[in-house]
Amino acid sequence: MRVPRFLQPVFEVRGMARWLLLSGLAVVVFFVVLAIFAPLIAPYGFDQVSADGVRFPKQASPSGEHLLGTTVQSTDVLSRVIWGSRTAIEVVVLAVVFSLAIGVPLGLISGYVGGRVDRALVLVMDALFAFPYLLLAIVIAFLLSSSVGQGVFTAAVAITVVYIPQYFRVVRNHVISVREEPYVEAARALGAPRRTVIRRYVFHNVIQSVPAIATLNAADAILTLAALGFLGYGIQPTEAAEWGYDLQRAIDDAGAGIWWTGLFPGLAIVLLVTGFTLVGEGINDVLNPLIRQRAVEPPVIPAQPDSELPPPGAEPPPRGATEARATEVHRE
Amino acid sequence: MSEPGGSPPSEPGEPVTSGPGEPAEGGPGEPLLAVRGLRVWYGTGGDPVRAVDGVSFEIGAGETVGLVGESGCGKSTLGRGVLGLLPDNATAAGEVRYRGRDLVGLSRRELRDLRGPEIGLIFQEPMTRLDPLHTIADHFRETLRIHEPELGDEETRKRSLETLARMGIPPTRFRQYPHEFSGGMRQRIMIALALVLRPSLLIADEPTTALDVIVEAQILQILADLRENFDTGLLLITHNLGIVAEACDRVAVMYAGQIVEEGEARRVFSEPAHPYTRALLRSTISLRTTGLHYIAGAPPNLIDPPPACRFHPRCPDAMAVCRERDPIEVSLAADQRVSCWLHGPEDEIPPQGAEPLERTEIAIAEEA
Amino acid sequence: MVADPTTDPLLAVRDLRTHYSVRGSFIDRLRGREAGAVAAVDGVSFDLRRGEVLGVVGESGSGKTTLGRTLLGLVPATGGSVHLRGREITGLPERELRPLRRRLQIVFQDPHASLNPAMTIGAAIADPLRFHGIAADAGDRKRRVAAALERVGLAPASQFADKYPTDLSGGQKQRAVLARAIVLGPEVLVADEPVSMLDMSVRAKILELMIALKEELDLTYLYITHDLATAKFFCDRIAIMYLGRIVEIGPASQIYDDPKHPYTASLLRAIPEPDPTRSVPRDLPRGEVPDAVSPPLGCRFHPRCPRAFEVCGWESRDLRTLLETRWTRMAEEEYERERELVGELDSLDEPAVEASLPAGPGHTDEEALGVLEAMRAEAPDDPFWKGVAELQPDGSGARVRFHEPLVPRDLEVDGARVECHLHDPEALAAARAAAASDGPAVVAEPT
């Protein structure tokens, strides 16, 4: 399988960026595994309050029976955390896919076509962007709740609307600079239809900025989802387990010394957000050429007692042409 | 060329070693700038790029030296190396003596103090070096304030206007902004900004490449007047041999990080000794050119340059020895040095060393 | 009308004009004002005959690049016509223009920037085949790409097709760009400075390749360049452009051996020769190409022309330039003294054949006039003074009236076409009449 060219540096990365990327990826992969195999991993269902006809105790502290204890509604905390990761990953994936699917094409069109279309779109997006994001998400969730219900889909759409302007802006601004590149004009001169120019010549060169934003937005989306749930505008407790909702229910417990109902969902949020952020920062370091170049150390020039001696380091096998050229670029 | 074999007489005035911080005038025979065995390597993460690899040359006061070669041969790196203006991943070694003081190993601060009042710089893109938000007058005031703070306002203005006038910029335009000037005017302003500090050495890296022919010729005129009026030494880095011929006293030809031939411009142009110089001259297209010529192949990758003579894979006159032993610098008659086995020394060439080298066909695929 | 390929030109350009509107400063835009229009191409006519190489030579700002882009329909023409084999192609919508692109191709100056960095060389060359539905299938496309690569010397093709632009050297990239242009089998190739970004040692190789391609593929070239030296090798005919107009066009040999326009002559003189016995030419045109937003009156080259005379278009702005040049040469105190005698020069910026040089505050009109007279006394041979019809004080300053400017006509001289009054008997006669009317004493007495 061929790795897209712009992602290749990700596999060649060394040093700090590699560490960020790998540790972030480990955390994210852990939660994704939890999410996918939730039915197998979680001891109980997300709203299960009894097993074999025996009701679970209320607010039981962590024990062999319930590893992370139970809640005020008698649900198992561990199970809720695991099912909650499924909800979080579902919503984040949907939200990122939706906002990419809408924000990126709109940015492409706005930037490439320009003129009135551009002005109109920029106005709408700026208005969305200027709106307090949580309030916006709440409004959307509220509007959709009557028609679609308060499930994963609604939450994802509410979050999508918040993030579309970000993709739009980044992509549009990048398109505007790429549009002026001679290779885009060359494509026109070769007779490329406008759609092809955008798809094959513009899109490929602006897409590089998207992965970093997408992962960073994913981190942000987890928080937004939790905030919605916490405020009661998120996913209905009957639909799925959700960390924000759990936190909200745990507020009263905290005063009574019942720490497990709040700690574990909270910890899950922090971990997953950190994981996504680390991946995003790692990708950013890798794909941003300015940061990449800085890392190279100056060489040590050995003393040269006699010019007749073969210069030190003459032995190693020739390097690939690619590498040599890459270094020549910033030299001349 | 790391050995300054046949260099002009610098021996009597043995280089004065001076501690950093106290600029010392060189002895009577000391040239303005003497570079000996300079090497500048870049780190790549793997093996280093040897952009400048053992270069020696001199510039006298008021002398214009042209530095020519294809791109990728280390010309710009050499220019920057002399000034210590190198990126973080570069290392310089060797000797750069300016008025007897070694610049290699000076701290960034000491180098910064030298740049401007002692050694001036002119770049290819004048617009990127001028601040669009400040007038030309501001630029001059700022430059003089940093380097000659004792100068009063009136004196500053006078010096600036005087220098600008010499560059053909009318005094009426002193308070205008960079964007109000044409490309050629901006380059004149840049030159004036360098000259207002009265440096004794100027390094110009492709100063006319971005300009049109007529404006280029105008700038060359200014540079030619420079040596007469200001007694400024000039290192002119260019890929255009026509410019060297018109503006330079001496010329150094650079190939793959080394100077392969150096000498008086007239002499080098009329009797080029190195096959690379000959090839460069032949490939220059001018009005008098009657046929198209080019140099086969491309300058080598400087991470792993060819052994012995670096030009041998592209050289039409290559001999067996060229692949085996580093060329030795030879002084030819008049002021001309060359590093090429064609010019000997004969007794260093091993038996059968003069046999022509079986040349592997250079594919277009390998070309520049 | 059916075009006859043997006699009709492949490309007939008539009075082509391309104007851009320029944005003014931020404040201007806030007020909703446009700063004006640049006539980048301003009435250009020529024929491109089948199989020939026509060089379009000019400095930056001459409009040569805009001309190339207008011919390709990459920028809309403001006026005039371009006929490709008898068919009008200006003003065609992109949809109708697209099929024509097969026949009319362009190569840009910067080979690196004109290749999509995210696309392999092979894909870049295959793409135009796909746009025009030329290849029958993927296999055919691959064969055609390989053939194009090998034709431009990137052989074996398999070694280059999968490389990205960053993996190639400048010369190789320009070869790839040429391969992409010829894969469509065009008739006309517009080459916009194809070698100027390349090293001297590579230029000859690319030029040689272009000559070979022309022979093999029966191409016709429009070679746009600032470099008369490479054009000399390459072109059958040369058109010299200056500020949006062709000032001279003719057979290459004639342009080089016997340039008719003073501008052509100075361009030729300015080319550096790799010959140290020749020194820098001293008699170059002064200044640089002026702003195309408001070009000089009359002949656009007159302010820089060493041979300009009475009717070439002398005007207020030339007076300002002359004054400033004079002050540039003066010593500081001398300049300060003279600067006080005259007022602000901004009134001279509006192009006019009658200008008034205001006297400085506290100084009389006679003093302002004195400055001009001192100028004339110092350099009476400056062509500027031929253009001055009358010089007199007008109460507030020195009034300068210039001779009525004539716009140069398109003249046929020895098989070349040139726009220069030096070759126009009528303009010369008008100049003689103008000079006579001045009389020997140009300074009119105040009445």
Side-chain angles (χ1 to χ4, degrees), chain B residues 14-100:
Chain B
E14 199 57 72
V16 184
T17 26
S18 61
E22 42 164 312
E25 288 294 318
E30 188 84 15
L32 184 64
L33 181 82
V35 175
R36 302 259 181 274
L38 179 68
R39 284 182 286 165
V40 180
W41 293 8
Y42 290 108
T44 61
D47 291 325
V49 173
R50 300 186 217 154
V52 173
D53 208 17
V55 160
S56 304
F57 69 97
E58 290 173 354
I59 300 177
E63 188 179 42
T64 302
V65 176
L67 184 63
V68 295
E70 291 163 279
S71 37
C73 283
K75 304 190 299 284
S76 290
T77 301
L78 178 54
R80 273 148 215 268
V82 166
L83 283 161
L85 263 185
L86 292 165
D88 289 342
N89 66 333
T91 315
E95 215 177 81
V96 176
R97 285 199 172 274
Y98 171 75
R99 291 183 182 276

Side-chain angles (χ1 to χ4, degrees), chain B residues 70-71 157 212 221 287 365, chain C residues 60 172 199 201 232 281 336:
Chain B
E70 291 163 279
S71 37
R157 202 181 89 91
D212 285 309
Q221 253 176 38
L287 286 179
Chain C
S60 51
Q172 287 171 335
D199 237 304
S201 58
K232 190 178 179 189
E336 296 287 354

Side-chain angles (χ1 to χ4, degrees), chain B residues 13 15 40 66 85 112 120 149 167 261 273 284 288 313:
Chain B
V40 180
L85 263 185
R112 207 168 44 223
M167 297 298 122
E261 179 167 4
T284 301
R288 291 192 210 163

